[in-house]
Amino acid sequence: MRRITALRTALSAVLLVGAWAGAGFPAASAADAPATTSRAPQASAGLLAAMQKDFGLTESQARARLSAEKTATAIQGKAKRAAGAAYGGAWFDASTGGLTVAVTSEKQAAAVRATGAAVRLVSHTARRLDAVKERIDTFDAPAGVSSWHVDPEANKVVVNVVSSARTDNDVRKFVERARAAGPVVVEQTGQAPRTFAAGTVGGDPYYTGNVRCSIGFSVNGGFVTAGHCGQAGASVSGWDGSAIGSFQGSSFPGDDYAWVSVGNGWWTVPVVLGWGTVSDQLVRGSAEAPVGASICRSGSTSHWHCGNVLATNETVNYSQGAVYQMTKTSVCAEPGDSGGSFISGDQAQGVTSGGWGNCSTGGETWHQPINEILNRFGLTLHTA
């Protein structure tokens, strides 16, 4: 784990502040009142360069996408209310640059379109699909079943099965029970999810015992991170070995979130580290990005990488136990990235939980949504 000495010296206090340092990340293992801003998206040259590289966009296309995603994020709540009981879910469509909302009745279509969203007529409401997913949550999942979530675009519940285990008897029985519960489609994934916690490596953001993890986001009085990184009461030291504080609350599995108090000369700032790849990013709120939107992750092992939101409210079947209400992304991550920041534009999204793959060959990563963590512990996000 190499560290940029000059950057680390300048930001020694910023690291503990909830900067995007990610480490100790468990692979696939981590009420809406988000803070929002009316300001236009403020994209640094570094962020635009990263989006151009990761998405194959020009600078003007990257700016246009960030603006379109900000608009989609702002209208999705209005569109959901307009759809009412006919609401079937929503997603950002990068090909059109707009939000698409699924509805089960043409009667609500005009009201939804009036919010600025496109409309697709579907068979199942989001409430129906959520109920099917919650029913599947009660099943005992074998190791060959990776995860499951509601896919609004497919209008079904997607069950992800590890390719090599698709013919396993226990996996087949699980799939049969899932299909009996409601509209379900099965997809294959290359690897099973696992946690990405890492052993002690010099110069990383923070340590608890012999585990290295990363700071997620600054909150008043501390920072949030992944629950698998430490239990309540565990002491935390910074990248330089000095005492930061201790875990004040932690939950894993079931959830994958925690918060750590900050003291001993450390303080918090609303910053996510760019690790020299992009400029350090200011955090201005926590409005949840829709499925299909771009999202980036900062971690102390693999630093800065971007991708798309693939699914929300996904149940991830780690070897330690299931974790619920996770968000799946196409962003890669590696051991040591646990707890780090997921951000979309200038809006905090969540803390790195786990995934599969790496940043050489690719993979997928899950994060625990930030607003759930804030609500659970009664915390306030530190914003710029």
Side-chain angles (χ1 to χ4, degrees):
M1 176 67 213
R2 294 190 296 272
R3 185 168 307 284
I4 303 172
T5 303
L7 176 65
R8 185 56 58 220
T9 300
L11 294 177
S12 60
V14 174
L15 276 183
L16 55 105
V17 294
W20 276 78
F25 141 116
S29 110
D32 276 347
T36 58
T37 174
S38 60
R39 300 179 232 187
Q42 299 182 19
S44 68
L47 175 59
L48 293 171
M51 291 189 69
Q52 291 175 67
K53 175 179 178 293
D54 290 337
F55 293 109
L57 305 174
T58 64
E59 180 178 340
S60 61
Q61 288 172 333
R63 290 184 183 278
R65 174 156 178 169
L66 287 172
S67 179
E69 289 177 350
K70 188 175 184 68
T71 299
T73 298
I75 68 175
Q76 63 178 336
K78 298 176 184 177
K80 180 178 180 180
R81 289 191 291 272
Y87 180 70
W91 61 94
F92 176 78
D93 187 341
S95 65
T96 64
L99 186 75
T100 299
V101 176
V103 296
T104 57
S105 173
E106 187 65 37
K107 293 180 180 180
Q108 279 72 34
V112 172
R113 291 191 183 97
T115 68
V119 172
R120 179 182 296 179
L121 195 64
V122 297
S123 300
H124 309 290
T125 65
R127 178 174 295 182
R128 163 65 173 149
L129 295 176
D130 286 342
V132 172
K133 191 261 181 184
E134 289 172 4
R135 172 62 178 155
I136 299 173
D137 282 346
T138 67
F139 302 165
D140 290 329
V145 177
S146 173
S147 61
W148 52 96
H149 69 275
V150 171
D151 183 340
E153 190 169 3
N155 200 228
K156 296 180 184 294
V157 175
V158 176
V159 175
N160 295 291
V161 173
V162 179
S163 299
S164 60
R166 65 186 184 280
T167 59
D168 178 84
N169 286 336
D170 290 338
V171 170
R172 295 173 70 173
K173 289 178 181 177
F174 182 93
V175 169
E176 289 174 3
R177 292 186 69 194
R179 284 175 167 153
V184 165
V185 63
V186 178
E187 296 183 357
Q188 295 183 31
T189 185
Q191 301 176 33
R194 72 190 193 287
T195 59
F196 283 163
T200 300
V201 177
D204 293 312
Y206 82 86
Y207 308 92
T208 177
N210 67 343
V211 173
R212 168 174 59 87
C213 278
S214 299
I215 293 163
F217 292 94
S218 291
V219 296
N220 289 353
F223 64 82
V224 294
T225 187
H228 71 268
C229 290
Q231 298 181 341
S235 297
V236 172
S237 57
W239 65 272
D240 60 354
S242 65
I244 292 180
S246 61
F247 280 82
Q248 299 299 301
S250 179
S251 179
F252 178 79
D255 309 295
D256 194 6
Y257 50 58
W259 83 279
V260 175
S261 61
V262 163
N264 304 302
W266 294 81
W267 64 90
T268 66
V269 293
V271 171
V272 168
L273 289 179
W275 294 97
T277 301
V278 301
S279 302
D280 296 339
Q281 303 295 301
L282 290 175
V283 178
R284 301 187 184 278
S286 60
E288 182 181 355
V291 171
S294 64
I295 192 169
C296 297
R297 181 193 57 73
S298 178
S300 63
T301 296
S302 56
H303 297 175
W304 182 273
H305 290 276
C306 299
N308 295 310
V309 177
L310 299 179
T312 59
N313 190 24
E314 182 156 36
T315 298
V316 181
N317 188 33
Y318 291 119
S319 61
Q320 299 94 328
V323 177
Y324 307 99
Q325 297 180 323
M326 301 271 270
T327 296
K328 179 164 67 175
T329 75
S330 62
V331 186
C332 67
E334 297 182 357
D337 285 329
S338 284
S341 318
F342 267 91
I343 191 168
S344 183
D346 57 9
Q347 300 295 303
Q349 298 298 305
V351 301
T352 304
S353 173
W356 62 269
N358 56 54
C359 291
S360 296
T361 60
E364 295 176 338
T365 304
W366 284 262
H367 72 71
Q368 183 88 68
I370 183 68
N371 289 323
E372 180 183 357
I373 306 172
L374 300 177
N375 291 336
R376 168 63 179 81
F377 294 117
L379 302 170
T380 300
L381 185 68
H382 189 170
T383 58

